[in-house]
Amino acid sequence: MKPVTAKLIFWLAGATFMSLVATLVLWLSPAIASDVVESTSSMPPDVVRWGLIAAALSTGASSVAAGYAVSNVGSAAIGALAENPELMGRVLIVIGLAEGIAIYGLIISVLILNGIF
């Protein structure tokens, strides 16, 4: 197991800070939700606001997780390819599975937004 480095802590703290700022901006702006509700939906503004927050968090968290997974899998894949170049197809499949995490989050966001609007 790798020791926790300062670089990893810096990036995780930055990602956490940015996600909290984005969540607070969405949470503290009910005017956005009420404008959207008046123009497109018959749901209460609170429901729309929580739905928008949920959609943003599902996309953001899955993208951060996919980036972390691809970075770990990618570095291991480069090491495996350096030893045995015949593993190219298998390595691409594993990296594609790691990238799929972001796509799953995006699909969940679309489903949430379809439920709201």
Side-chain angles (χ1 to χ4, degrees), residues 47-70:
V47 173
V48 173
R49 182 172 35 170
W50 283 107
L52 292 173
I53 290 171
L57 284 177
S58 69
T59 302
S62 66
S63 297
V64 169
Y68 183 71
V70 168

Side-chain angles (χ1 to χ4, degrees), residues 60-117:
S62 66
S63 297
V64 169
Y68 183 71
V70 168
S71 70
N72 287 337
V73 170
S75 63
I78 295 298
L81 285 176
E83 292 180 10
N84 188 2
E86 297 173 356
L87 294 176
M88 178 62 96
R90 292 180 184 156
V91 165
L92 289 177
I93 290 172
V94 173
I95 292 175
L97 289 173
E99 290 177 2
I101 297 170
I103 296 170
Y104 299 145
L106 185 63
I107 291 170
I108 295 299
S109 296
V110 169
L111 291 174
I112 290 170
L113 293 175
N114 280 339
I116 292 174
F117 301 115

Side-chain angles (χ1 to χ4, degrees), residues 7-23 57 60-61 63-65 68:
K7 186 176 179 181
L8 176 64
I9 292 173
F10 173 76
W11 284 108
L12 288 177
T16 303
F17 176 75
M18 293 302 290
S19 65
L20 288 175
V21 167
T23 303
L57 284 177
S63 297
V64 169
Y68 183 71

